Coordinates of all heavy atoms in Angstrom, one line a residue:
D96 N -9.6 4.3 -22.5 CA -8.9 4.8 -23.7 C -7.4 5.1 -23.3 O -7.2 6.2 -22.7 CB -9.6 6.0 -24.2 CG -9.0 6.6 -25.5 OD1 -7.9 6.0 -25.9 OD2 -9.6 7.5 -26.1
A97 N -6.5 4.2 -23.6 CA -5.1 4.3 -23.1 C -4.4 5.5 -23.8 O -3.4 5.9 -23.4 CB -4.4 3.0 -23.4
M98 N -5.0 6.0 -24.9 CA -4.4 7.1 -25.6 C -4.9 8.5 -25.1 O -4.5 9.5 -25.5 CB -4.6 7.1 -27.1 CG -3.8 6.0 -27.8 SD -2.0 6.2 -27.6 CE -1.6 5.2 -26.2
A99 N -5.9 8.4 -24.1 CA -6.5 9.6 -23.5 C -6.1 9.8 -22.1 O -5.9 10.9 -21.6 CB -8.0 9.6 -23.6
R100 N -5.9 8.7 -21.4 CA -5.5 8.7 -20.0 C -4.8 7.5 -19.5 O -5.0 6.4 -20.1 CB -6.8 8.9 -19.1 CG -7.8 7.8 -19.2 CD -9.1 8.2 -18.6 NE -9.7 9.3 -19.3 CZ -10.5 9.1 -20.4 NH1 -10.8 7.9 -20.9 NH2 -11.1 10.2 -21.0
G101 N -3.9 7.6 -18.5 CA -3.2 6.5 -18.0 C -2.8 6.8 -16.6 O -2.6 7.9 -16.2
Y102 N -2.5 5.7 -15.8 CA -2.2 5.8 -14.4 C -1.4 4.6 -13.9 O -1.6 3.5 -14.4 CB -3.5 5.9 -13.6 CG -3.3 5.9 -12.1 CD1 -3.0 7.1 -11.4 CD2 -3.4 4.7 -11.4 CE1 -2.8 7.0 -10.0 CE2 -3.3 4.7 -10.0 CZ -3.0 5.8 -9.3 OH -2.8 5.8 -8.0
C103 N -0.4 4.9 -13.1 CA 0.4 3.8 -12.5 C 0.8 4.2 -11.1 O 1.1 5.3 -10.8 CB 1.6 3.4 -13.4 SG 2.4 1.8 -12.9
A104 N 0.9 3.2 -10.2 CA 1.3 3.5 -8.8 C 2.2 2.4 -8.2 O 2.2 1.3 -8.7 CB 0.0 3.5 -7.9
W105 N 3.1 2.9 -7.3 CA 4.0 2.1 -6.6 C 4.0 2.4 -5.1 O 3.7 3.5 -4.7 CB 5.4 2.3 -7.1 CG 5.7 2.1 -8.5 CD1 6.3 1.0 -9.1 CD2 5.5 3.0 -9.6 NE1 6.4 1.1 -10.5 CE2 5.9 2.4 -10.8 CE3 4.9 4.3 -9.7 CZ2 5.8 3.0 -12.0 CZ3 4.8 4.9 -10.9 CH2 5.2 4.2 -12.1
K106 N 4.2 1.4 -4.3 CA 4.3 1.7 -2.8 C 5.5 0.9 -2.2 O 5.9 -0.1 -2.8 CB 3.0 1.4 -2.1 CG 2.6 -0.1 -2.1 CD 1.3 -0.3 -1.4 CE 0.8 -1.7 -1.5 NZ -0.4 -1.9 -0.7
S107 N 6.0 1.4 -1.1 CA 7.2 0.8 -0.5 C 7.1 0.9 1.0 O 6.7 1.9 1.5 CB 8.5 1.6 -1.0 OG 9.6 1.2 -0.2
S108 N 7.4 -0.2 1.6 CA 7.3 -0.3 3.1 C 8.6 -0.9 3.6 O 8.9 -2.1 3.4 CB 6.1 -1.2 3.5 OG 6.1 -1.3 4.9
D109 N 9.4 -0.1 4.3 CA 10.8 -0.5 4.7 C 10.7 -0.7 6.2 O 10.7 0.3 7.0 CB 11.8 0.6 4.4 CG 13.2 0.2 4.8 OD1 13.4 -0.9 5.2 OD2 14.1 1.0 4.6
D110 N 10.6 -1.9 6.7 CA 10.5 -2.3 8.1 C 11.9 -2.2 8.7 O 12.8 -3.0 8.3 CB 9.9 -3.7 8.2 CG 9.6 -4.0 9.7 OD1 10.0 -3.3 10.6 OD2 9.0 -5.1 9.9
Q111 N 12.1 -1.3 9.7 CA 13.3 -1.1 10.3 C 13.3 -1.6 11.7 O 14.0 -1.1 12.6 CB 13.7 0.3 10.2 CG 13.8 0.9 8.8 CD 14.1 2.4 8.7 OE1 14.0 3.1 9.7 NE2 14.5 2.8 7.6
G112 N 12.5 -2.6 12.0 CA 12.5 -3.3 13.3 C 12.0 -2.3 14.4 O 10.9 -1.7 14.2
V113 N 12.7 -2.2 15.5 CA 12.3 -1.4 16.6 C 12.3 0.1 16.3 O 11.7 0.9 17.0 CB 13.2 -1.6 17.8 CG1 13.0 -3.1 18.3 CG2 14.6 -1.3 17.5
D114 N 12.9 0.4 15.1 CA 13.0 1.8 14.7 C 11.8 2.2 13.9 O 11.7 3.3 13.4 CB 14.2 2.1 13.9 CG 15.5 2.0 14.8 OD1 15.4 2.4 16.0 OD2 16.5 1.6 14.3
G115 N 10.8 1.3 13.7 CA 9.6 1.6 12.9 C 9.7 1.2 11.4 O 10.6 0.5 11.0
T116 N 8.8 1.8 10.7 CA 8.7 1.6 9.2 C 8.6 2.8 8.4 O 7.9 3.8 8.8 CB 7.4 0.7 8.9 OG1 7.6 -0.5 9.6 CG2 7.3 0.5 7.5
Q117 N 9.4 2.9 7.4 CA 9.4 4.0 6.4 C 8.4 3.6 5.3 O 8.7 2.7 4.6 CB 10.7 4.4 5.9 CG 11.6 5.2 7.0 CD 11.0 6.5 7.3 OE1 10.4 7.2 6.5 NE2 11.3 7.0 8.5
Y118 N 7.4 4.4 5.1 CA 6.4 4.1 4.1 C 6.5 5.2 3.0 O 6.7 6.4 3.2 CB 5.0 4.2 4.6 CG 3.9 3.9 3.6 CD1 3.5 2.6 3.3 CD2 3.3 5.0 3.0 CE1 2.5 2.4 2.3 CE2 2.3 4.8 2.0 CZ 1.9 3.5 1.7 OH 0.9 3.2 0.8
R119 N 6.4 4.7 1.7 CA 6.4 5.7 0.5 C 5.4 5.2 -0.5 O 5.1 4.1 -0.7 CB 7.8 5.7 -0.1 CG 9.0 6.1 0.7 CD 8.9 7.6 1.1 NE 10.1 8.0 1.8 CZ 10.2 7.9 3.2 NH1 9.2 7.5 3.9 NH2 11.3 8.3 3.8
W120 N 4.8 6.3 -1.1 CA 3.8 6.0 -2.2 C 4.1 7.0 -3.3 O 4.4 8.1 -3.1 CB 2.4 6.3 -1.7 CG 1.3 6.3 -2.7 CD1 1.1 7.4 -3.6 CD2 0.5 5.3 -3.1 NE1 0.1 7.0 -4.5 CE2 -0.3 5.7 -4.2 CE3 0.3 4.0 -2.6 CZ2 -1.3 4.9 -4.8 CZ3 -0.7 3.2 -3.2 CH2 -1.5 3.7 -4.3
L121 N 4.0 6.4 -4.6 CA 4.2 7.2 -5.8 C 3.2 6.8 -6.8 O 2.9 5.6 -7.0 CB 5.6 6.9 -6.4 CG 5.9 7.5 -7.8 CD1 6.0 9.0 -7.7 CD2 7.2 6.9 -8.3
D122 N 2.6 7.8 -7.4 CA 1.7 7.5 -8.6 C 1.9 8.6 -9.6 O 2.2 9.7 -9.3 CB 0.2 7.4 -8.2 CG -0.4 8.7 -7.7 OD1 -0.5 9.6 -8.5 OD2 -0.9 8.7 -6.5
V123 N 1.8 8.1 -10.9 CA 2.0 9.0 -12.0 C 0.7 8.9 -12.9 O 0.3 7.8 -13.2 CB 3.2 8.6 -12.9 CG1 3.3 9.5 -14.1 CG2 4.4 8.7 -12.0
G124 N 0.1 10.0 -13.3 CA -1.1 10.0 -14.1 C -0.9 10.9 -15.3 O -0.3 12.0 -15.3
F125 N -1.6 10.5 -16.4 CA -1.5 11.3 -17.7 C -3.0 11.5 -18.1 O -3.8 10.7 -18.0 CB -0.8 10.5 -18.8 CG 0.7 10.3 -18.5 CD1 1.1 9.1 -17.9 CD2 1.6 11.2 -18.9 CE1 2.4 8.9 -17.6 CE2 3.0 11.0 -18.6 CZ 3.4 9.8 -18.0
Q126 N -3.2 12.7 -18.7 CA -4.5 13.1 -19.3 C -4.2 13.8 -20.6 O -3.5 14.9 -20.5 CB -5.3 13.9 -18.3 CG -6.7 14.2 -18.8 CD -7.7 13.1 -18.5 OE1 -7.5 12.3 -17.6 NE2 -8.8 13.0 -19.3
R127 N -4.7 13.3 -21.7 CA -4.5 13.9 -23.0 C -5.8 14.4 -23.6 O -6.8 13.7 -23.4 CB -3.8 12.9 -23.9 CG -3.4 13.5 -25.3 CD -2.8 12.5 -26.2 NE -3.9 11.6 -26.7 CZ -4.7 11.9 -27.7 NH1 -4.6 13.0 -28.4 NH2 -5.7 11.1 -28.1
Y128 N -5.7 15.5 -24.2 CA -6.9 16.1 -24.8 C -6.8 16.3 -26.3 O -5.7 16.8 -26.8 CB -7.3 17.5 -24.2 CG -7.7 17.3 -22.8 CD1 -6.8 17.3 -21.7 CD2 -9.1 17.2 -22.5 CE1 -7.2 17.2 -20.4 CE2 -9.5 17.1 -21.2 CZ -8.6 17.1 -20.1 OH -9.0 16.9 -18.8
D129 N -7.8 15.9 -27.1 CA -7.8 16.2 -28.5 C -8.5 17.6 -28.8 O -9.2 18.1 -27.9 CB -8.6 15.1 -29.3 CG -7.8 13.9 -29.6 OD1 -6.6 14.0 -29.7 OD2 -8.4 12.8 -29.6
S130 N -8.2 18.1 -29.9 CA -8.9 19.4 -30.3 C -10.3 19.0 -30.9 O -10.4 18.0 -31.5 CB -8.1 20.1 -31.4 OG -6.8 20.5 -30.9
D131 N -11.2 19.9 -30.6 CA -12.6 19.7 -31.1 C -13.3 21.0 -31.2 O -13.2 21.9 -30.3 CB -13.4 18.8 -30.1 CG -14.8 18.5 -30.6 OD1 -15.7 19.3 -30.4 OD2 -14.9 17.4 -31.2
P132 N -13.9 21.3 -32.4 CA -14.5 22.6 -32.6 C -15.5 23.0 -31.5 O -15.7 24.2 -31.2 CB -15.2 22.4 -34.0 CG -14.5 21.3 -34.6 CD -14.1 20.4 -33.5
T133 N -16.2 22.0 -30.9 CA -17.3 22.3 -29.9 C -16.7 22.5 -28.5 O -17.3 23.1 -27.7 CB -18.3 21.2 -29.9 OG1 -17.7 20.0 -29.5 CG2 -19.0 21.0 -31.3
L134 N -15.4 22.0 -28.3 CA -14.9 22.1 -27.0 C -13.6 22.9 -26.9 O -13.2 23.3 -25.8 CB -14.6 20.6 -26.5 CG -15.8 19.7 -26.4 CD1 -15.3 18.3 -26.1 CD2 -16.8 20.2 -25.4
G135 N -13.0 23.2 -28.0 CA -11.8 24.0 -28.0 C -10.6 23.2 -28.4 O -10.7 22.0 -28.7
S136 N -9.4 23.8 -28.5 CA -8.2 23.1 -28.9 C -7.8 22.2 -27.7 O -8.1 22.4 -26.6 CB -7.1 24.1 -29.1 OG -6.7 24.8 -27.9
G137 N -7.0 21.2 -28.1 CA -6.5 20.3 -27.1 C -5.7 21.0 -26.0 O -5.7 20.7 -24.8
E138 N -4.9 22.0 -26.4 CA -4.0 22.7 -25.5 C -4.9 23.5 -24.5 O -4.6 23.6 -23.3 CB -3.1 23.6 -26.3 CG -2.1 24.3 -25.4 CD -0.9 24.9 -26.1 OE1 -0.5 24.3 -27.2 OE2 -0.3 25.9 -25.7
K139 N -5.9 24.2 -25.0 CA -6.8 24.9 -24.1 C -7.5 24.0 -23.1 O -7.6 24.3 -21.9 CB -7.9 25.7 -24.9 CG -8.9 26.4 -24.0 CD -10.0 27.0 -24.8 CE -11.0 27.8 -23.9 NZ -11.6 26.9 -22.9
R140 N -8.0 22.9 -23.6 CA -8.6 21.9 -22.7 C -7.7 21.4 -21.6 O -8.0 21.2 -20.5 CB -9.2 20.8 -23.5 CG -10.3 21.2 -24.5 CD -10.7 20.1 -25.4 NE -11.5 19.1 -24.6 CZ -11.7 17.8 -25.0 NH1 -11.2 17.4 -26.2 NH2 -12.3 17.0 -24.3
A141 N -6.4 21.1 -22.1 CA -5.4 20.7 -21.1 C -5.1 21.7 -20.1 O -4.9 21.5 -18.9 CB -4.2 20.2 -21.9
T142 N -5.0 23.0 -20.5 CA -4.8 24.1 -19.6 C -5.8 24.2 -18.6 O -5.5 24.4 -17.4 CB -4.7 25.4 -20.4 OG1 -3.6 25.4 -21.3 CG2 -4.4 26.6 -19.5
D143 N -7.1 24.1 -19.0 CA -8.2 24.1 -18.0 C -8.1 23.0 -17.0 O -8.3 23.2 -15.8 CB -9.5 24.0 -18.7 CG -9.8 25.2 -19.6 OD1 -9.2 26.3 -19.3 OD2 -10.7 25.1 -20.5
F144 N -7.7 21.8 -17.4 CA -7.6 20.6 -16.5 C -6.4 20.8 -15.6 O -6.4 20.5 -14.4 CB -7.4 19.4 -17.3 CG -7.4 18.1 -16.5 CD1 -8.5 17.7 -15.7 CD2 -6.2 17.4 -16.4 CE1 -8.5 16.6 -14.9 CE2 -6.2 16.2 -15.6 CZ -7.3 15.8 -14.9
Y145 N -5.3 21.4 -16.1 CA -4.1 21.7 -15.3 C -4.5 22.6 -14.1 O -4.1 22.3 -13.0 CB -3.1 22.3 -16.2 CG -1.9 23.0 -15.5 CD1 -0.8 22.3 -15.0 CD2 -2.0 24.4 -15.2 CE1 0.2 22.9 -14.3 CE2 -0.9 25.0 -14.5 CZ 0.1 24.3 -14.1 OH 1.2 24.9 -13.4
K146 N -5.2 23.6 -14.4 CA -5.6 24.5 -13.3 C -6.5 23.8 -12.3 O -6.4 24.0 -11.1 CB -6.4 25.7 -13.9 CG -5.5 26.6 -14.8 CD -6.3 27.8 -15.4 CE -5.4 28.6 -16.3 NZ -6.2 29.7 -17.0
K147 N -7.4 23.0 -12.8 CA -8.3 22.2 -11.9 C -7.5 21.3 -11.0 O -7.8 21.2 -9.8 CB -9.3 21.4 -12.8 CG -10.2 20.6 -12.0 CD -11.2 19.8 -12.9 CE -12.1 18.9 -12.1 NZ -13.1 18.2 -13.0
Q148 N -6.5 20.6 -11.6 CA -5.6 19.7 -10.8 C -4.9 20.5 -9.7 O -4.8 20.0 -8.5 CB -4.6 19.0 -11.6 CG -5.3 17.9 -12.6 CD -5.7 16.7 -11.8 OE1 -6.7 16.7 -11.1 NE2 -4.9 15.6 -11.9
V149 N -4.4 21.6 -10.0 CA -3.7 22.5 -9.0 C -4.6 22.9 -7.9 O -4.3 22.7 -6.7 CB -3.1 23.7 -9.7 CG1 -2.5 24.7 -8.6 CG2 -1.9 23.3 -10.6
N150 N -5.8 23.3 -8.2 CA -6.8 23.8 -7.2 C -7.2 22.6 -6.4 O -7.5 22.7 -5.2 CB -8.0 24.4 -7.9 CG -7.6 25.8 -8.5 OD1 -6.7 26.4 -8.1 ND2 -8.3 26.2 -9.5
T151 N -7.4 21.4 -7.0 CA -7.8 20.2 -6.2 C -6.8 19.8 -5.2 O -7.1 19.5 -4.1 CB -8.1 19.1 -7.2 OG1 -9.1 19.4 -8.1 CG2 -8.5 17.8 -6.4
A152 N -5.5 19.9 -5.6 CA -4.4 19.6 -4.7 C -4.4 20.5 -3.5 O -4.2 20.1 -2.3 CB -3.1 19.6 -5.4
K153 N -4.6 21.8 -3.8 CA -4.5 22.8 -2.7 C -5.7 22.6 -1.7 O -5.6 23.0 -0.6 CB -4.6 24.2 -3.3 CG -3.3 24.6 -4.0 CD -3.5 26.0 -4.6 CE -2.2 26.5 -5.3 NZ -2.3 27.8 -5.9
A154 N -6.8 22.1 -2.2 CA -8.0 21.9 -1.4 C -8.2 20.5 -0.8 O -9.3 20.2 -0.4 CB -9.2 22.3 -2.3
T155 N -7.1 19.7 -0.8 CA -7.2 18.4 -0.2 C -7.8 18.4 1.2 O -7.3 19.2 2.1 CB -5.8 17.7 -0.2 OG1 -5.3 17.6 -1.5 CG2 -5.9 16.3 0.4
Q156 N -8.8 17.6 1.4 CA -9.5 17.6 2.7 C -8.5 17.2 3.8 O -7.9 16.2 3.7 CB -10.7 16.7 2.7 CG -11.5 16.7 3.9 CD -12.8 15.8 3.8 OE1 -13.0 15.2 2.8 NE2 -13.6 15.9 4.8
G157 N -8.5 18.0 4.9 CA -7.7 17.6 6.0 C -6.2 18.1 5.9 O -5.4 17.9 6.8
A158 N -5.9 18.7 4.8 CA -4.5 19.1 4.6 C -4.1 20.3 5.5 O -4.9 21.2 5.7 CB -4.3 19.5 3.1
K159 N -2.9 20.2 6.0 CA -2.3 21.3 6.8 C -1.0 21.7 6.2 O -0.3 21.0 5.5 CB -2.0 20.7 8.2 CG -3.3 20.2 8.9 CD -4.3 21.2 9.2 CE -5.5 20.6 10.0 NZ -6.5 21.6 10.3
N160 N -0.7 23.0 6.5 CA 0.6 23.6 6.0 C 0.7 23.5 4.5 O 1.8 23.1 3.9 CB 1.8 22.9 6.7 CG 1.8 23.0 8.2 OD1 1.4 24.0 8.7 ND2 2.1 21.9 8.8
V161 N -0.4 23.9 3.8 CA -0.4 23.8 2.4 C 0.5 24.9 1.8 O 0.4 26.1 2.1 CB -1.8 24.0 1.8 CG1 -1.8 23.9 0.3 CG2 -2.7 22.9 2.4

Side-chain angles (χ1 to χ4, degrees):
D96 185 351
M98 289 299 97
R100 60 191 67 87
Y102 172 84
C103 193
W105 300 261
K106 62 181 178 180
S107 172
S108 181
D109 184 5
D110 186 353
Q111 301 175 346
V113 296
D114 292 327
T116 298
Q117 285 294 333
Y118 179 86
R119 299 292 185 271
W120 171 279
L121 170 70
D122 67 63
V123 180
F125 297 90
Q126 185 83 24
R127 188 186 69 84
Y128 291 87
D129 278 329
S130 296
D131 185 273
T133 64
L134 301 173
S136 69
E138 186 163 332
K139 177 186 179 301
R140 297 173 68 197
T142 299
D143 292 341
F144 183 67
Y145 165 83
K146 295 176 181 178
K147 179 180 178 181
Q148 289 288 76
V149 171
N150 291 334
T151 299
K153 291 179 178 180
T155 298
Q156 185 174 5
K159 303 294 185 182
N160 301 321
V161 180

